[in-house]
Amino acid sequence: MNSHLKRVVAIGGAALLLASLAGCGTANRNAAPGPTELSDEPVTLRMAWWGGDGRHERTQQVIDLFEEKYPNITVEPEFSDWAGYWEKLATSTAGKNSPDVIQMDQLYLASYGARGALADLNELGVDTSGMEPSVRDMGLYDDTLYAAPISTSITAMLVNSDLLDQVGVPVPDNADSWTWDEYSDWGAAVTAASPPGTYGASIPFTEYQLQLFVRQHGEELFDSEGVAVSPQVLEEFFQNSLDLVEAGAAAPASVWAETAGLPLDQTPMAVGTVASFPNTATLISAYSGASGANLELLPLPATEDGVEDFEYAKPGMYWSISSQSEHPIEAAALVNFFLNDEEAAKILGAERGLPANADALDAIYDQLTPQEQAVVAYTESRQPFFGDAPDIVPNGASNIQEIIQRYQQEVLFGQTTPADAAKNMIAELQQSIDAA
């Protein structure tokens, strides 16, 4: 493992708004301090996360290891799929029955932090010293560390090398620095050489991808007041997607609408009907496994004459501790174990993404697959283009992913113009933020 790995920002992977929390305080901010040392008495903690069977099995193995080290602490697991998880968490938190340890997402961190539902991890002694400061600080809300990153992600263009070989259109020589216009031209060439129903390019569609596009233009999506992006840059984002479709590089609106919400193994990238797809770099393993194809990672296209240091590493998910917990010190010990224990890291591997903790990443590096090691190398290659991390999604904007896709669809179907979509999306988001 090379000497730069310690500096690598490690990699990670439409939900319900927290309506049931609105207007209700979930914690007493003036409560007396709790215990500062681990209890010798029997303690039961509830730990909640979302994910598939593989995540459940690995997480339970680490819980078993933790309980061996702390025999007086019993950990009760609670897990579900993504949508069900947030509905259940919102209900339990509003009912003063939140799990002690919570797997948290960037879309919801501000919403829970603003309502006092999360504990200050620094006060509880959660050790985040193994993380890059820019990554750790994306767990801050209102200058308080309410969440500790488990893993981080970087977006890349996933490219199906086998499909390109079949149609005889190689990756451009300048793909490490291509522009959106060059990407469109290449995508159209791939489409023209491919069987009907197969396309060369895909449109950007996630909050993370929008953040990167906005940063390429020297702006930010959010700031402390709410929406920060200008209508002109957001209009260009929608226009860029429309241009990709109209050029024949990307699939038409009807195909995009039908496939946007499909499970991973049914998406165009997984079934081999698109040659390139922007997404989290660590998903290369999942898409390669589903498609049976060789995939490679390329940078996202950039804006011509735009800002170079637009990239950043985004936490894939976090661990948080409920402010309602009756055993916060024990909960902190559990979070510390998941974040920093070497044996725990080896059990968890890269299932949640590559660890945000550099020491944990070192511990598992040799057991990573060649594709996962390629993600580490890719991230290193993009570090010269890393800028400061952006503000997290503010309270009131947790449903931004749903909003982006709704306006994207309206533009692609010709129901609204990119300019009107930009203006209306900014107004909708700001109104929701102001009302939160």
Side-chain angles (χ1 to χ4, degrees):
M1 191 171 188
N2 69 49
S3 60
H4 297 294
L5 191 54
K6 287 286 187 179
R7 303 198 310 273
V8 171
V9 182
I11 318 303
L16 301 171
L17 190 60
L18 304 176
S20 59
L21 289 179
C24 68
T26 57
N28 181 359
R29 296 180 185 272
N30 299 314
T36 58
E37 296 183 358
L38 289 169
S39 174
D40 293 328
E41 300 298 317
V43 169
T44 298
L45 299 174
R46 293 161 54 213
M47 186 177 199
W49 66 89
W50 71 83
D53 291 342
R55 177 171 302 169
H56 306 332
E57 292 168 4
R58 292 183 189 225
T59 305
Q60 185 61 58
Q61 289 177 39
V62 175
I63 288 173
D64 293 343
L65 196 63
F66 174 82
E67 289 177 338
E68 289 179 14
K69 183 175 181 179
Y70 300 93
N72 67 309
I73 302 177
T74 299
V75 181
E76 296 180 348
E78 299 179 6
F79 50 85
S80 64
D81 62 12
W82 167 265
Y85 178 85
W86 294 107
E87 184 176 14
K88 183 177 180 180
L89 182 61
T91 301
S92 63
T93 303
K96 312 289 187 184
N97 189 36
S98 173
D100 298 273
V101 177
I102 301 164
Q103 188 172 288
M104 180 56 61
D105 185 82
Q106 193 249 164
L107 291 175
Y108 291 89
L109 175 55
S111 296
Y112 278 91
R115 291 170 173 84
L118 305 177
D120 184 339
L121 300 187
N122 281 329
E123 287 189 356
L124 295 178
V126 171
D127 182 7
T128 58
S129 61
M131 300 178 191
E132 290 285 342
S134 63
V135 172
R136 178 202 61 218
D137 290 352
M138 286 198 75
L140 294 172
Y141 172 74
D142 197 21
D143 295 324
T144 302
L145 190 69
Y146 288 123
I150 299 170
S151 61
T152 63
S153 60
I154 179 173
T155 287
M157 188 66 73
L158 279 63
V159 176
N160 187 327
S161 304
D162 291 348
L163 177 57
L164 296 183
D165 288 343
Q166 291 169 16
V167 302
V169 181
V171 170
D173 292 337
N174 69 335
D176 60 343
S177 60
W178 53 359
T179 66
W180 285 104
D181 286 343
E182 290 167 338
Y183 175 63
S184 180
D185 291 342
W186 172 81
V190 174
T191 301
S194 300
T198 298
Y199 301 91
S202 301
I203 65 172
F205 67 101
T206 69
E207 173 264 335
Y208 190 7
Q209 292 159 20
L210 175 57
Q211 290 267 21
L212 294 172
F213 188 91
V214 169
R215 286 161 63 91
Q216 289 178 356
H217 290 77
E219 297 189 11
E220 295 292 344
L221 184 55
F222 298 111
D223 61 17
S224 59
E225 301 300 318
V227 181
V229 62
S230 67
Q232 293 78 18
V233 169
L234 190 54
E235 175 186 351
E236 189 169 334
F237 174 79
F238 290 124
Q239 184 65 55
N240 180 64
S241 297
L242 186 59
D243 290 345
L244 285 167
V245 171
E246 291 183 341
S254 58
V255 174
W256 185 81
E258 291 171 359
T259 60
L262 290 175
L264 185 148
D265 62 352
Q266 298 175 32
T267 59
M269 193 69 191
V271 300
T273 57
V274 70
S276 63
F277 181 55
N279 214 315
T280 303
T282 44
L283 288 177
I284 187 173
S285 297
Y287 280 108
S288 180
S291 66
N294 291 305
L295 306 182
E296 60 180 307
L297 299 172
L298 296 176
L300 282 186
T303 299
E304 190 169 3
D305 299 325
V307 174
E308 285 196 349
D309 58 347
F310 65 88
E311 299 241 36
Y312 69 99
K314 172 185 173 182
M317 57 195 78
Y318 308 86
W319 288 123
S320 291
I321 295 173
S322 171
S323 61
Q324 302 170 7
S325 176
E326 297 180 358
H327 307 288
I329 300 303
E330 289 74 19
L334 179 57
V335 170
N336 270 327
F337 193 78
F338 268 79
L339 290 177
N340 302 311
D341 185 86
E342 183 173 317
E343 290 305 311
K346 290 178 179 178
I347 292 171
L348 295 170
E351 195 283 324
R352 281 182 170 87
L354 303 184
N357 182 318
D359 292 330
L361 178 57
D362 277 344
I364 70 169
Y365 185 81
D366 289 341
Q367 74 186 54
L368 297 178
T369 67
Q371 287 176 324
E372 290 165 341
Q373 291 183 358
V375 173
V376 176
Y378 174 76
T379 304
E380 283 192 289
S381 76
R382 299 306 297 168
Q383 281 193 319
F385 305 97
F386 275 26
D388 294 335
D391 288 353
I392 63 171
V393 172
N395 186 22
S398 297
N399 61 337
I400 183 173
Q401 186 58 58
E402 173 191 328
I403 292 173
I404 293 170
Q405 292 192 216
R406 171 159 43 85
Y407 283 108
Q408 191 83 279
Q409 183 167 310
E410 290 179 4
V411 168
L412 295 182
F413 275 103
Q415 297 168 340
T416 190
T417 65
D420 285 343
K423 180 183 65 176
N424 293 337
M425 178 172 158
I426 289 172
E428 180 178 347
L429 277 172
Q430 190 63 52
Q431 183 179 23
S432 181
I433 293 167
D434 291 341

